[in-house]
Amino acid sequence: MRTKILSLLENDSRLTTKDIAAMLGVEEAAVAADIKAMEDGKIICGYHTMIDWDKVSEEKVTALIEVKVTPQRGQGFDKIAERIYNFDEVSSVYLMAGTYDLAVFINGKSLKEVSSFVYDKLATMETVISTQTNFVLRKYKDHGLVFDRAKSEDERLAIVP
């Protein structure tokens, strides 16, 4: 039952325990107890709202920064990742397999603010070997949610004889 509850909440965190109980055909008290236990056990880590910032007048820039680092003896990548994720600008940090070690997602008000973060805070860390910054131009899908772009059905140009 826990996996089903988690899937439902992941898709819509506004569901009530009553809604979930009805969907699963179980008692509301059982659902409430399971959710509480999963919150206490840090299985459920928070509830988030997806916002299409392109539809808001406030300018916002999202960047993916690929970071190569030298792992620290006895601590590997964990201590470096912790230093990075403690910066306010950082929204996510992932350990990667491939051409770089860490994927760092940050949000800023402008390209200048993002670049300032990279060269003032990130690139100056003694364990950072190199960085590559990639700016998000448009989100099409995020966390399973497809962003509506309200496009017409046929965007081809009309050819007039």
Side-chain angles (χ1 to χ4, degrees):
M1 180 167 80
R2 280 188 165 192
T3 303
K4 291 178 183 176
I5 292 172
L6 291 171
S7 293
L8 289 169
L9 286 173
E10 186 174 43
N11 288 324
D12 185 357
S13 63
R14 296 182 309 162
L15 289 173
T16 65
T17 53
K18 184 177 182 178
D19 294 334
I20 296 169
M23 293 170 146
L24 299 179
V26 297
E27 293 292 321
E28 184 179 352
V31 170
D34 268 358
I35 290 173
K36 173 80 170 105
M38 289 186 286
E39 289 171 342
D40 292 345
K42 303 293 183 205
I43 294 168
I44 296 176
C45 302
Y47 299 89
H48 301 280
T49 302
M50 291 297 301
I51 299 169
D52 187 349
W53 286 103
D54 290 342
K55 294 182 179 176
V56 179
S57 60
E58 185 176 323
E59 190 72 23
K60 189 170 185 158
V61 177
T62 301
L64 160 63
I65 306 165
E66 301 169 354
V67 185
K68 288 186 183 181
V69 298
T70 303
Q72 295 179 322
R73 185 180 307 273
Q75 297 175 342
F77 297 99
D78 295 344
K79 200 69 169 170
I80 301 164
E82 181 181 359
R83 279 190 63 199
I84 294 171
Y85 70 61
N86 279 317
F87 288 116
D88 291 335
E89 300 90 339
V90 175
S91 59
S92 302
V93 178
Y94 301 97
L95 179 62
M96 306 298 291
T99 58
Y100 56 96
D101 302 309
L102 298 172
V104 179
F105 285 88
I106 72 163
N107 296 305
K109 294 179 183 173
S110 66
L111 296 176
K112 185 176 182 178
E113 186 175 275
V114 171
S115 62
S116 176
F117 168 80
V118 173
Y119 66 75
D120 284 339
K121 296 179 179 178
L122 193 58
T124 59
M125 293 174 60
E126 63 279 352
T127 55
V128 171
I129 298 169
S130 66
T131 65
Q132 179 171 327
T133 304
N134 305 281
F135 290 97
V136 174
L137 301 177
R138 174 177 280 171
K139 284 186 185 180
Y140 293 103
K141 186 174 182 178
D142 192 2
H143 289 83
L145 178 70
V146 175
F147 286 80
D148 177 27
R149 295 287 166 212
K151 292 185 178 183
S152 64
E153 287 184 32
D154 190 354
E155 293 184 344
R156 296 176 292 177
L157 294 175
I159 299 174
V160 182

